[in-house]
């Protein structure tokens, strides 16, 4: 069913003639007749009967018109959606790691969405980088500077890193490290200075945090997942001299989009709040 065709049924019912419907919809009178015939063939129904020069809807047509009128109401409501929502309107897909989404963005998302009722955020969380060239995301947060590509890159800030080790433990604590592909990061550069053999390898910082929390392991964590550990007197925390950079990637065609701009400002504010805290 074509919505433009279905509107003709209501117009003929209201005007009583093909000519009247033609003038109302600003289409040719023969087009009105041709489209009505097409609908009748598709439905296997007779929609109008001619009586005294007027087209009167059949009983079956009245049943069809009830649905057409409901569709017209919904179409009008769709047209008013933008008027009813304050501020920018849109759906933004943000790709980032699980922990950044959980610890940096989501705690601040409720206030942002409440202040921008026309926006919807979709968080794409994974340890793998999205393929921006395939438009899998609109924005992405990366903890390593990406190679140049067909997208805008800007620095969000830096992230403090802490090395945790138990104050007292029986024997050597379990040393937690990150996979070899993260070997160039400040975390791994620091951990390579330790003499202990790596006993746990993972890219999941929550796994490392849980091991450290048990007071039997040592490892490096970013500041946004270790606030509770910094106050634990059974742990020794050392601030690393180097920090981890955070980068924001934005699809070029969205840089001037109002919904994207307000979301970019919010992401930046999230990282600024994290640094201040």
């Amino acid at each position: 069913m074509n919505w433009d065709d279905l509107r003709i049924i209501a117009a003929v019912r209201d005007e009583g003639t093909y000519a009247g419907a033609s003038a109302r919809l600003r289409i040719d009178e023969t087009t009105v007749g041709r489209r009505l015939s097409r609908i009748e063939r598709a439905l296997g129904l007779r929609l109008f009967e001619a009586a005294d020069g007027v087209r009167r809807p059949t009983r079956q047509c009245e049943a069809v018109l009830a649905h057409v009128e409901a569709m017209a109401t919904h179409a009008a409501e769709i047209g008013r959606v933008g008027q009813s929502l304050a501020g920018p309107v849109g759906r933004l897909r943000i790709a980032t790691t699980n922990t950044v989404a959980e610890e940096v963005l989501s705690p601040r998302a409720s206030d942002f969405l409440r202040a921008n009722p026309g926006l919807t955020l979709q968080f794409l969380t994974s340890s793998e980088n999205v393929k921006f060239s395939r438009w899998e995301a609109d924005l992405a947060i990366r903890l390593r500077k990406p190679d140049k590509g067909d997208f805008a890159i800007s620095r969000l800030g830096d992230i403090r890193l802490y090395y945790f080790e138990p104050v007292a433990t029986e024997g050597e604590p379990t040393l937690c490290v990150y996979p070899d592909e993260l070997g160039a990061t400040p975390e791994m550069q620091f951990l390579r200075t330790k003499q202990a053999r790596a006993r746990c390898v993972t890219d999941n910082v929550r796994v490392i945090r849980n091991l450290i929390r048990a007071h039997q392991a040592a490892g490096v964590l970013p500041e946004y997942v270790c606030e509770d550990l910094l106050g634990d007197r059974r742990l020794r925390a050392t601030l690393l001299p180097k920090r981890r950079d955070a980068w924001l990637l934005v699809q070029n065609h969205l840089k001037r989009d109002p919904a994207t701009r307000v979301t970019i400002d919010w992401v930046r504010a999230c990282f600024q709040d994290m640094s201040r805290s």
Side-chain angles (χ1 to χ4, degrees):
M1 293 291 100
N2 184 303
W3 171 235
D4 285 338
D5 289 351
L6 294 174
R7 291 171 59 228
I8 293 175
I9 302 174
V12 173
R13 187 272 312 273
D14 294 341
E15 301 299 331
T17 63
Y18 287 179
S22 169
R24 175 175 166 176
L25 300 176
R26 298 182 179 180
I27 59 177
D28 187 79
E29 184 175 347
T30 58
T31 301
V32 171
R34 185 176 68 254
R35 290 187 179 179
L36 275 179
S37 297
R38 183 167 63 193
I39 297 172
E40 288 180 332
R41 287 194 303 272
L43 296 177
L45 301 174
R46 177 93 175 154
L47 295 175
F48 292 95
E49 295 176 345
D52 300 326
V54 176
R55 302 280 177 174
R56 302 188 184 278
T58 62
R59 181 172 58 85
Q60 294 92 340
C61 183
E62 294 287 2
V64 172
L65 282 166
H67 295 291
V68 172
E69 289 170 355
M71 292 171 66
T73 300
H74 290 305
E77 290 173 353
I78 290 171
R80 291 191 292 268
V81 166
Q83 302 171 7
S84 63
L85 298 175
V89 177
R91 182 187 188 95
L92 276 299
R93 300 166 299 166
I94 304 177
T96 184
T97 63
N98 289 312
T99 48
V100 167
E102 294 170 5
E103 306 292 341
V104 180
L105 301 181
S106 63
R108 300 165 176 86
S110 293
D111 289 341
F112 174 70
L113 292 172
R114 188 180 300 112
N116 296 276
L119 292 184
T120 297
L121 298 181
Q122 180 180 357
F123 292 104
L124 307 173
T125 57
S126 172
S127 59
E128 299 293 330
N129 288 334
V130 298
K131 302 295 184 183
F132 249 47
S133 60
R134 299 179 185 175
W135 288 12
E136 292 179 358
D138 303 308
L139 292 82
I141 298 169
R142 300 236 180 118
L143 302 182
R144 283 182 290 176
K145 187 176 182 180
D147 297 330
K148 292 183 179 180
D150 189 22
F151 43 78
I153 308 172
S154 60
R155 188 171 176 272
L156 285 172
D158 52 40
I159 299 167
R160 291 185 288 266
L161 302 167
Y162 291 89
Y163 175 69
F164 289 92
E165 57 186 332
V167 173
T169 185
E170 295 182 6
E172 288 291 328
T174 298
L175 182 63
C176 302
V177 302
Y178 295 95
D180 290 342
E181 56 265 27
L182 298 178
T185 63
E187 297 97 307
M188 286 299 292
Q189 291 174 5
F190 178 86
L191 289 168
R192 276 197 289 268
T193 66
K194 300 298 174 182
Q195 300 301 317
R197 180 168 62 94
R199 301 289 307 285
C200 175
V201 181
T202 178
D203 64 354
N204 189 319
V205 297
R206 288 170 300 185
V207 171
I208 298 176
R209 180 178 63 183
N210 289 337
L211 284 165
I212 292 173
R213 187 180 285 154
H215 308 107
Q216 298 294 324
V220 176
L221 292 173
E223 59 182 311
Y224 51 81
V225 298
C226 63
E227 182 178 358
D228 59 328
L229 300 180
L230 290 171
D232 190 334
R233 294 187 177 183
R234 298 173 63 185
L235 294 171
R236 182 183 298 111
T238 302
L239 180 64
L240 269 61
K242 291 185 178 181
R243 300 187 178 190
R244 188 84 175 267
D245 287 335
W247 300 87
L248 178 65
L249 282 60
V250 182
Q251 293 284 5
N252 279 323
H253 68 285
L254 294 174
K255 288 189 296 184
R256 294 179 177 81
D257 172 66
T260 305
R261 290 307 315 170
V262 72
T263 304
I264 290 172
D265 292 342
W266 170 71
V267 170
R268 291 192 175 282
C270 288
F271 276 82
Q272 290 170 3
D273 288 347
M274 177 196 66
S275 297
R276 285 194 292 267
S277 63

